[in-house]
Amino acid sequence: MQICRSTQDMRDWRKDAGRVALVPTMGALHEGHLSLVAHARDWLDDHGGGRVVTSIFVNPTQFGPTEDLAKYPRDEDGDIALLRRAGCDAVFLPQVADIYRPGAQTHVEVAQLGGMLMGQLRPGHFRGVATVVTKLFNIVQPQAAAFGEKDYQQLTLIRQMVADLDIPVQILPVPTMREADGLAMSSRNRRLTPQDRAAASVLARGLDGAQAQIAAGDELTSVQDALRAMLASEPRADIQSIDIRDAADLSPVTAITRPVVILLAVRFGDVLLIDQRVAHP
Ligand code: PAF
């Protein structure tokens, strides 16, 4: 597996790499990321073959001033070992100074999708995501890139961005991998205390219940009330937001007449967890 530690290394490797599928990550890799790598590989196999590149970059511009960038888990050696085992062809590990050079003036903002929901809870977050993903696309020049459905708003926003800016990258959505108790896999789970880790399974139970209610034809308010009550029954859960939105464009809904996505953001201690579920009436 090729290790590229700078933009120049990556560009040099890219020249002869042929078709490429990118898996953008912030490291602290787990089974969920390996599933992104596997989906990227499958896509390449279906398109005549090629190379999978995983980027590992803890992007400072998507963290707010009150969010602890320094506490984000990092495990470069462990990540490289996992990617080797997963059959990844190259890993891109740039330094912050290589991605954000002094004097830069340009950023990418997906106005509406970036300002709603998590964008209100974390101002500036999606501007940081859209900017770094655009830069990664420009450096790696992939034909496809895999993103997890767990970060549903991020996935929706990236799709909008590539359409708006005519970026020739196919976006591959990848279903969420879950622990045995239903907790969505996330690098942040490593920072949960054992008590919070056990309590966090309430998210998946809440989503299961809401999905079943929607499938049974229950009304929006009754789904929302039951979900809030279920989450509130866990004293360690500090609910930040519960939203039910149109699954296609995240616009607000007043009744459930087409597929919706249920979006949760809940704190356990100082760890903010998000999860989602698409539900069909
Ligand atoms: O989902 C993530 O890990 C990050 O937001 C991403 C897409 C790698 C951009 O930094």
Side-chain angles (χ1 to χ4, degrees):
M1 184 174 72
Q2 183 74 30
I3 297 182
C4 303
R5 292 195 177 272
S6 70
T7 300
Q8 194 55 52
D9 284 355
M10 185 71 235
R11 287 196 192 279
D12 289 344
W13 178 85
R14 175 70 186 96
K15 278 191 199 116
D16 303 315
R19 190 178 289 103
V20 161
L22 172 67
V23 178
T25 81
M26 297 208 298
L29 304 181
H30 49 69
E31 286 295 319
H33 294 109
L34 301 187
S35 158
L36 299 179
V37 172
H39 273 75
R41 172 70 64 207
D42 287 349
W43 184 87
L44 286 169
D45 289 347
D46 289 347
H47 290 80
R51 312 276 179 87
V52 178
V53 178
T54 299
S55 62
I56 298 179
F57 180 63
V58 183
N59 174 33
T61 64
Q62 66 188 76
F63 289 79
T66 60
E67 298 171 350
D68 207 343
L69 169 64
K71 277 196 195 155
Y72 197 84
R74 288 165 169 86
D75 178 12
E76 187 181 300
D77 292 345
D79 289 349
I80 289 175
L82 275 180
L83 290 174
R84 276 192 211 285
R85 281 207 296 278
C88 190
D89 297 293
V91 57
F92 179 38
L93 288 152
Q95 298 298 308
V96 173
D98 200 19
I99 295 291
Y100 295 112
R101 288 179 296 280
Q105 300 186 22
T106 309
H107 60 254
V108 180
E109 185 129 29
V110 185
Q112 213 172 310
L113 277 166
M116 60 167 71
L117 301 164
M118 284 298 286
Q120 283 184 335
L121 214 57
R122 303 181 70 189
H125 169 72
F126 285 116
R127 184 167 98 166
V129 170
T131 302
V132 81
V133 170
T134 303
K135 288 173 75 76
L136 290 169
F137 284 176
N138 286 336
I139 297 164
V140 179
Q141 299 187 16
Q143 277 70 37
F147 291 86
E149 288 176 352
K150 182 175 83 68
D151 297 311
Y152 196 89
Q153 186 175 358
Q154 170 173 284
L155 172 63
T156 310
L157 172 136
I158 299 287
R159 282 177 150 151
Q160 182 76 43
M161 179 184 88
V162 299
D164 290 351
L165 298 182
D166 299 305
I167 299 175
V169 176
Q170 182 163 340
I171 303 304
L172 314 174
V174 179
T176 306
M177 296 279 284
R178 296 183 178 276
E179 305 286 355
D181 65 355
L183 179 66
M185 289 185 188
S186 164
S187 308
R188 290 168 191 264
N189 295 352
R190 295 187 189 195
R191 293 189 44 231
L192 294 168
T193 63
Q195 295 83 351
D196 285 338
R197 167 63 192 84
S201 64
V202 73
L203 299 186
R205 289 199 305 282
L207 290 171
D208 288 345
Q211 188 179 30
Q213 276 187 279
I214 290 169
D218 285 8
E219 299 216 336
L220 180 63
T221 48
S222 104
V223 177
Q224 279 167 329
D225 292 349
L227 181 51
R228 186 168 290 278
M230 160 77 91
L231 296 178
S233 72
E234 171 46 69
R236 305 186 82 87
D238 176 7
I239 302 171
Q240 303 293 302
S241 60
I242 299 175
D243 292 281
I244 298 182
R245 295 285 178 111
D246 187 297
D249 61 6
L250 301 186
S251 58
V253 295
T254 49
I256 305 176
T257 53
R258 47 185 194 275
V260 290
V261 59
I262 311 155
L263 300 160
L264 301 181
V266 179
R267 260 182 215 290
F268 292 85
D270 67 348
V271 183
L272 178 65
L273 296 185
I274 60 171
D275 202 355
Q276 60 77 31
R277 187 72 55 83
V278 172
H280 298 257

